[in-house]
Amino acid sequence: MATSPQRLGLAALTALVVGSMVGAGIFSLPQNVARSAGPAAVLIGWVLSGAGMLMLAFVFQALANRRPDLDTGIYAYAREGFGNYIGFSAAWGYWVASVLGNASFFVLIFSGVGHFLPVFGEGNTVAAVAASSVLLWTVHLLVLRGLRTAALVNSLVTVAKLVPIALFLVLAAGAFRMDVFTADFFGAPALGDLGTQLRGMMLVTVWVFIGIEGASIYSRRAARRADVGRATVIGFVGVWLLLVLVSLLSMGVLSQPQLAALPNPSMAYVLRAIVGEWGATVIIIGSIISVLGALLAWVLLCAEVLYAAAGDGTMPAFLGRENPRGVPANALWLSNGLIQLFLLLVLFNSGSYTSLVLLAASMSLVPYFLSAAFAVQLAWRGVAYAEQPAVRWRDFGVALLASTYALWLVYAGGLDNLLLSVLLYVPGVALFALTRRQHGQPVFTRWEWVLFGAILAVAVATLVAFCSGNLQL
């Protein structure tokens, strides 16, 4: 079967998965992992997280094959399986996680610039937030004009990502020392026991794996539906190997306490320890160009999450409107306004890049869990498995494992991130109510009222704790 120019083949879909997953996170991985765990926990964590995320990859593969009609994003699975409010919450949570991820990009950019200009610190100073705000609204105006990332910029971004990472892997492999890797193999006492270390480390892995659903987002443009699932699995395995090498090789160059104390992007400072200042400069420039190059696409992606949800009636109709240049302007304004709010919270609450990515990871777990839970439901009912009992129960087992993994990650994220996540879900009810009224339907069913009441009660308690300083971003 020939692939038309308007359709995406296996290679293109795999590239989307890899491109979605290999972003800013990998440049900060050595510090992000080491601040939570020693080498033993990191090794176990990568095996467990790799297995868990592979189960999620298989879930997306199965759902793409069994329910090809659900092609508007992963929130469509939640809506189909659990009703309108749960589906909306999945879309809202996925959008907020994307917005938080964008806010973390700005912090990381100016953390890198802070290596050359100390006034920007770790990306959370007044100067850094002011510069981030100027950059945000400059990008906003460019996107409103219909600007798209050109092929030349895409090529530059690809090189900016892959060349520094490849250089790092080669040099870190040459500098790797087993005595450094095995010293405090089970982690310093301050990190806690092995279980505590695993909890912290595995939540970091969720953030770097975000994007595993990249092929699913573009499933409507796939030349062959089966390629969506294949691309998800192939892309995941390749990225998993890359991430494991970056984190483990770093632990053979610097000790866990040294890695944990590094500023971000920490990959740069690991390379500086190997080859000197020029190594840090190469990685920092590469990471800044990479994030800047991806920023236009990711800012627009946030808007397009709302735009797509408005198109199928999950979000209010006003978010589905485009300006004369074909840009979803209303969705863009709402997305960038929330990014600006998060940047201000970083300033006034002393937040960091790591704080933002951990919160984004927690927010992303809801749509991931709901997708896996829908796959459990689908296999249990057997509607899409006519005369395929073996495949049906295999998919059921995989989806059950993926659901369990996602729930464990909610626990691993800790109470603070869980409470902040709940707080961020409440404002979305205004858009949900508007959507339901536009369709002439009651806002909630009876059980949805109970669910929202519980969420609201937890959110109020969280807000009180946040305002009193007992809970921080």
Side-chain angles (χ1 to χ4, degrees):
M1 176 180 176
T3 301
S4 69
Q6 289 75 33
R7 294 289 176 175
L8 299 173
L10 178 60
L13 289 167
T14 302
L16 282 170
V17 175
V18 173
S20 298
M21 294 172 71
V22 179
I26 194 169
F27 292 100
S28 301
L29 191 61
Q31 185 268 353
N32 289 176
V33 168
R35 71 192 294 268
S36 301
V42 171
L43 280 167
I44 297 169
W46 278 122
V47 171
L48 293 178
S49 62
M53 294 303 290
L54 184 60
M55 294 302 103
L56 276 171
F58 284 144
V59 162
F60 289 124
Q61 181 181 41
L63 291 175
N65 293 333
R66 300 294 165 185
R67 291 300 304 268
D69 55 307
L70 301 176
D71 58 3
T72 56
I74 63 173
Y75 71 85
Y77 301 134
R79 183 182 184 185
E80 179 70 12
F82 306 104
N84 289 309
Y85 180 54
I86 298 296
F88 170 87
S89 296
W92 176 265
Y94 189 75
W95 173 68
V96 172
S98 299
V99 167
L100 280 165
N102 264 331
S104 76
F105 285 175
F106 286 100
V107 174
L108 186 62
I109 287 170
F110 287 99
S111 177
V113 176
H115 176 78
F116 308 105
L117 300 173
V119 68
F120 292 116
E122 293 190 21
N124 56 359
T125 64
V126 173
V129 171
S132 294
S133 301
V134 171
L135 179 58
L136 168 66
W137 295 108
T138 300
V139 170
H140 176 86
L141 294 175
L142 289 172
V143 173
L144 279 179
R145 293 174 60 85
L147 184 65
R148 297 294 188 270
T149 306
L152 178 61
V153 175
N154 277 328
S155 300
L156 178 62
V157 169
T158 300
V159 171
K161 282 183 183 181
L162 298 183
V163 169
I165 293 172
L167 176 67
F168 174 85
L169 290 177
V170 170
L171 295 175
F176 184 87
R177 291 172 52 194
M178 186 56 70
D179 60 316
V180 175
F181 185 75
T182 55
D184 286 330
F185 186 67
F186 292 98
L191 294 175
D193 60 22
L194 191 62
T196 301
Q197 293 179 50
L198 279 172
R199 285 174 52 198
M201 184 267 171
M202 289 180 67
L203 190 65
V204 172
T205 67
V206 175
W207 172 246
V208 296
F209 282 137
I210 285 177
I212 193 174
E213 74 289 344
S216 299
I217 294 174
Y218 294 94
S219 58
R220 283 179 291 180
R221 297 181 58 196
R224 292 170 293 273
R225 185 70 183 185
D227 285 345
V228 174
R230 294 191 190 107
T232 300
V233 174
I234 293 170
F236 163 75
V237 172
V239 172
W240 178 78
L241 288 171
L242 188 64
L243 295 169
V244 169
L245 286 173
V246 168
S247 59
L248 292 182
L249 287 175
S250 298
M251 290 189 147
V253 176
L254 297 175
S255 67
Q256 177 271 323
Q258 289 174 319
L259 288 172
L262 293 177
N264 282 312
S266 52
M267 185 190 290
Y269 300 97
V270 175
L271 195 56
R272 182 172 69 178
I274 300 172
V275 299
E277 191 62 34
W278 72 265
T281 301
V282 167
I283 297 294
I284 289 172
I285 292 175
S287 67
I288 291 172
I289 294 174
S290 177
V291 178
L292 281 172
L295 204 53
L296 283 174
W298 277 99
V299 165
L300 189 55
L301 176 65
C302 286
E304 288 184 342
V305 170
L306 296 178
Y307 175 74
D312 67 7
T314 301
M315 290 283 182
F318 80 92
L319 293 173
R321 295 174 191 152
E322 296 180 332
N323 69 9
R325 296 178 181 270
V327 177
N330 291 341
L332 187 68
W333 278 103
L334 185 59
S335 297
N336 289 341
L338 189 58
I339 292 172
Q340 180 68 75
L341 177 60
F342 283 136
L343 288 174
L344 292 174
L345 285 176
V346 164
L347 177 61
F348 292 109
N349 200 245
S350 301
S352 65
Y353 169 80
T354 305
S355 301
L356 286 171
V357 299
L358 290 178
L359 185 54
S362 292
M363 291 294 294
S364 71
L365 291 174
V366 172
Y368 280 12
F369 167 73
L370 291 172
S371 296
F374 175 62
V376 170
Q377 181 189 102
L378 193 67
W380 178 260
R381 292 178 177 174
V383 177
Y385 292 88
E387 300 179 3
Q388 291 181 304
V391 176
R392 172 189 173 189
W393 293 114
R394 181 201 67 193
D395 286 356
F396 176 80
V398 168
L400 197 60
L401 287 172
S403 301
T404 304
Y405 172 70
L407 278 178
W408 189 87
L409 285 174
V410 172
Y411 162 76
L415 183 60
D416 285 4
N417 283 322
L418 179 60
L419 291 175
L420 287 170
S421 296
V422 172
L423 181 62
L424 291 173
Y425 272 98
V426 171
V429 75
L431 293 182
F432 179 70
L434 179 59
T435 304
R436 299 293 287 170
R437 292 303 186 192
Q438 286 178 347
H439 292 278
Q441 298 169 328
V443 176
F444 291 125
T445 63
R446 183 176 300 174
W447 82 268
E448 287 173 344
W449 272 113
V450 174
L451 176 61
F452 176 70
I455 291 172
L456 184 61
V458 173
V460 169
T462 302
L463 185 60
V464 170
F466 187 79
C467 292
S468 63
N470 296 322
L471 190 64
Q472 290 191 339
L473 180 64

